[in-house]
Amino acid sequence: HSRNQPAPDARLLGGGGGGPRLSIWHRQLDKLSTWMAEFGSLPKRVSEDPAEKGLYRWLSDQQKNTALSESQQLAMREVLQSDPELERNRRPNQKREQQCMRWQANFDKVLAWSNRRKQLPSEHIQDDAEERSMGKWLRRQSGGDCSLSEAQRRQVDDLRAQAHRWKLE
C-alpha cells in the first residue's frame, strides 16, 4: 500500500464467521462520501431529512475528535477534499431538484399572497394559519443556516424590497 492509503485491512474488523466487515466509523465515512457525491455538498445541520442531520452530527463530532487514528484522519481528509461538484454535474440530483421545486412552489405561494395583499405574510398572526405558515417560511429563508442559491436569495431580496415600497405607497 502507498503512503497515502491506509493499509488494506485498516478499515476492517474481524468478522465472527462472516468474514471481515467495515468498522462502524468507516461505514459512517462511506455514508458521508456517498452523500457528498449524490448531493454535491456536506450534510446540513438544519434539514428535514433525519439521515442528513445524523451525518451532520457525526461529521461535526469527528471534526472535534482528537482520538482519530492517522489513517482515519487521512481517510476523512480524502472524503472532505473530494469535489462533489464534478459528480453532481455528471449525475442529476433528484432530491436536490425536488427541494428546489418545493422551494419555488413555496416562494410562488408567498409571492402571490403578498402581491394580492400588498404586504408580506406575518408569522405572528393568530387567526390565519396559512399566513402564519408562509410568514415562518419566509423568515427561515433569511436564517444563517439556510443554503439558498444566489437566484433564490435574489428572489427573496426582491420581494422584501417590494414590500418596503408597498409600505411607502
Side-chain angles (χ1 to χ4, degrees):
H1 64 86
S2 74
R3 284 175 41 126
N4 293 338
Q5 296 294 321
D9 62 351
R11 295 168 39 104
L12 303 176
L13 297 173
R21 57 185 167 79
L22 285 178
S23 71
I24 293 170
W25 189 90
H26 281 95
R27 283 196 308 253
Q28 283 299 105
L29 185 65
D30 286 347
K31 287 179 186 178
L32 175 65
S33 179
T34 300
W35 176 273
M36 290 175 62
E38 187 172 343
F39 299 111
S41 68
L42 291 171
K44 306 275 188 285
R45 180 176 63 89
V46 177
S47 172
E48 293 178 13
D49 182 349
E52 182 176 16
K53 279 197 242 188
L55 275 175
Y56 173 88
R57 279 192 303 274
W58 180 83
L59 176 59
S60 179
D61 290 347
Q62 300 317 300
Q63 289 172 326
K64 298 172 197 166
N65 187 349
T66 58
L68 290 178
S69 70
E70 191 174 317
S71 67
Q72 286 174 318
Q73 291 173 24
L74 177 62
M76 179 69 77
R77 271 195 304 275
E78 287 174 358
V79 167
L80 294 178
Q81 290 173 356
S82 66
D83 188 350
E85 284 297 314
L86 293 175
E87 185 66 24
R88 190 172 79 178
N89 290 335
R90 268 187 241 130
R91 184 173 60 182
N93 180 328
Q94 185 176 7
K95 181 175 181 174
R96 192 66 76 191
E97 287 174 12
Q98 289 172 341
Q99 289 172 333
C100 287
M101 288 171 47
R102 222 175 16 253
W103 186 92
Q104 193 61 54
N106 284 332
F107 181 80
D108 290 346
K109 182 178 175 181
V110 169
L111 180 63
W113 187 96
S114 297
N115 282 331
R116 275 194 316 276
R117 307 241 180 134
K118 304 292 185 218
Q119 67 182 35
L120 296 178
S122 169
E123 65 181 297
H124 303 292
I125 192 106
Q126 295 300 316
D127 59 346
D128 187 339
E130 183 180 26
E131 179 181 357
R132 187 172 54 251
S133 174
M134 287 187 291
K136 286 179 181 179
W137 181 87
L138 187 58
R139 177 186 43 80
R140 286 191 308 266
Q141 305 319 298
S142 303
D145 293 323
C146 190
S147 57
L148 297 180
S149 69
E150 278 304 309
Q152 290 170 331
R153 193 172 314 285
R154 260 193 312 281
Q155 288 182 59
V156 171
D157 290 346
D158 290 348
L159 177 58
R160 290 186 187 286
Q162 178 60 49
H164 182 70
R165 288 190 294 276
W166 286 327
K167 287 181 181 179
L168 299 176
E169 290 178 353

